[in-house]
Amino acid sequence: MISVKNVSKWYGAFQVLADCSTEVQKGEVVVVCGPSGSGKSTLIKCVNALEPFQEGEILVDGISVGDPRTDLPKLRSRVGMVFQHFELFPHLTVTENLTLAQIKVLNRQKDAAVAKGLKLLERVDLSAHKDKFPGNLSGGQQQRVAIARALCMDPIAMLFDEPTSALDPEMINEVLDVMVELAQEGMTMMVVTHEMGFARKVAHRVIFMDSGRIVEDAPKEEFFGTPRSERAQLFLSKILQH
Amino acid sequence: MSGFDFDVIQRSVWYLFRDGMTFTVTLTLMAMAGGIVFGTLLAMMRLASFQPLAWVAGAYVNLMRSVPLVLVIFWFFFLVPYIGAWVIGEKTPIKVGAFWSAVITFTMFEAAYYCEIMRAGIQSIARGQVAASLALGLNYWQTMGHIVLPQAFRNMVPVLLTQTIILFQDTSLVYVISATDFLGAAAKVANRDYRLVEMYSFVALVYFVISFAASYYVRSLQGRIAVVR
C-alpha cells in the first residue's frame, strides 16, 4: 500500500532523512517512534507530499508521490492525515469542517456530505457538537473531529503525526480509543507516536528512527522483546520506565 | 466672531453633501473594494514560490509606496487616456473623466498598502492550516479561497478599515485634477462667497467627525470579530 524506497531529504546542507526504506501493507498498522528531531514527522509528511524529498521514491497504492506528473490533490484526498495540533479550520463549524473537502474535492452533494459527516461524528461520539466552532471544543474533542474529517474522505490509508502529543493527559485515551478501533477494523495506518501502549496493543510493526535513519524496523513482539540496536534499547528504557 | 458669516454653511450644505460627499464616499468605497481585491492578488503574488511573480509584485508595491500620492494622481490623470487608447487600439486618447481617473488611481495606489496588510494577514495563518487543507486534497486556489483568505481577511478587518479611513481623507487630494469632492465643493463655495474660514472650518469638522467615529467603530469591532481558537 505504502512503499518507501531509499528516501533522502536535506534542508540546505542538513540531512533530515537518510536512505529510508520501508513498506506498509494493506491493513497493517505501523508505529514510527524515535527521539525528537529524528525525522519521523518529516518521513510521514513525505508520504502525502506535504514535504518534498530529493532522493528515492515513495509509492502510495502504486502511484509515485515524487513524480511531478502525479495529481497530488487527488492522491492526498485518498490518504487521511491527522496532525499534532488538530488543524481544524477555526472559522468553520464542525459540520463545515467535515463536509468542505467532500464537496469541493470529491464533488459530493451537500446532503450526502452532511449525512456522511454526521455519521462519522457520531462514531467519534460528538454528534451533540455538530454546530459548534472548533475553538469551543476541548483538545481531545478537536482531535476526534479531525479524525472524523479525514475518514469522511473514505481514505485508503491514514497517517497520524503525533496525534496525542499536544493533548492534556486525561484526553489522550479518548483519542487513542478511536485509533484502536480504527486499527481493529483493518485500516492501514502509519502512526508517529510515543504512546507505546498503543503500539503494544494494535501495531503490527514498529519503526525506530534516529538522526534521519530507520535504525530498526521490526515486528512488534521483536521490537519490545529484544530491540537489536543499542539506540532503540536506550530509547525504550527511557520512555518505558514510568 | 462678528466678521464671520456661518449662514453660508446652511445655504450650501445640501450642495456640499449631495455633490461633494457623494463623490468622496463613492470614490472611497470603490477604491477600497478594488484596492482590497487587487491588493490581495498582489499579496498572493508576493508570497508565491515562483520568484518572478514575487519580484514583480514587490517592485510594484515598493514603487507605489515610494512616490507621493499627488504625483500618482497627476500621472494617472494624464496617462490613463493614452494607456486606455493603446489598450483598445484607438489613435486618439480616450475620455476618462476626473471621477474614473480618480477611481483607477486610488485603486492602484491603495492596493499597494492593502497588499502589505493582506500579506501580513496571510502570514499570520499557521502553516498547519495550509497543510491540513492540502492533505484533504484541496488545491492551492481552494486552500486560499476557503481556508487562508477568509481567516486572513477576518484577522485584518480592523487594519483594512483603518487604512480605508486614511483613504477617505486622502481622496481630498483630487482637488489637483479639479474634481468636485467634498473639499472641492466647499472650496468652490468658499471662493465664490469669500467665506474661506467658515467653509474650511466646517469641512475640517465634518472630516474629523466622520473619521473619528469610524476609528471608534473599528476599535469596538476589533474585540468582537476575532476567531476563537
Side-chain angles (χ1 to χ4, degrees), chain B residues 189-202:
Chain B
V189 175
N191 286 315
R192 186 193 63 194
D193 296 355
Y194 295 107
R195 290 293 164 204
L196 295 137
V197 175
E198 294 88 335
M199 287 310 280
Y200 286 133
S201 308
F202 178 64

Side-chain angles (χ1 to χ4, degrees), chain B residues 5-6 20 26 51-52 64 76 86 99 102 127 136 141 158 164 179 227:
Chain B
D5 170 20
F6 285 95
T26 316
Q51 280 309 305
M64 280 299 176
F76 273 76
W86 178 71
F99 175 73
R127 292 186 59 81
L136 282 166
W141 291 102
T164 304
V227 181

Side-chain angles (χ1 to χ4, degrees), chain A residues 48 50 73 76-77 79 81 83 87-91 100-101 104-105 135 149 153, chain B residues 128-129 131-139 142 146-147 150-151 154 227-229:
Chain A
N48 65 352
L50 285 181
R76 287 169 178 151
S77 72
V79 181
M81 181 145 197
F83 297 84
E87 303 300 350
L88 293 178
F89 306 128
H91 61 304
L100 178 70
K104 298 296 168 190
V105 181
R149 178 174 72 178
M153 306 296 282
Chain B
Q129 287 281 299
S133 175
L134 293 178
L136 282 166
L138 284 101
N139 61 33
Q142 290 169 329
H146 295 289
I147 308 302
Q151 292 186 63
R154 220 163 126 172
V227 181
V228 187
R229 268 160 217 286

Side-chain angles (χ1 to χ4, degrees), chain A residues 5 20 33 43 50 56 60 68 83-84 95 110-111 117 126-127 131 140 145 147 156 171 198 227-229 240:
Chain A
K5 292 176 193 161
C20 296
C33 63
L43 179 68
L50 285 181
V60 175
F83 297 84
Q84 183 176 4
T95 307
K110 190 165 181 231
D111 302 347
L126 290 170
S127 299
D131 297 320
V145 172
I147 294 172
I156 55 170
M171 293 170 183
F198 172 81
R228 278 161 292 189
S229 70
L240 291 180

Side-chain angles (χ1 to χ4, degrees), chain A residues 143-165:
Chain A
Q143 194 61 299
R144 278 145 68 201
V145 172
I147 294 172
R149 178 174 72 178
L151 292 175
C152 278
M153 306 296 282
D154 295 317
I156 55 170
M158 287 281 285
L159 308 173
F160 293 82
D161 183 13
E162 305 206 27
T164 56
S165 321

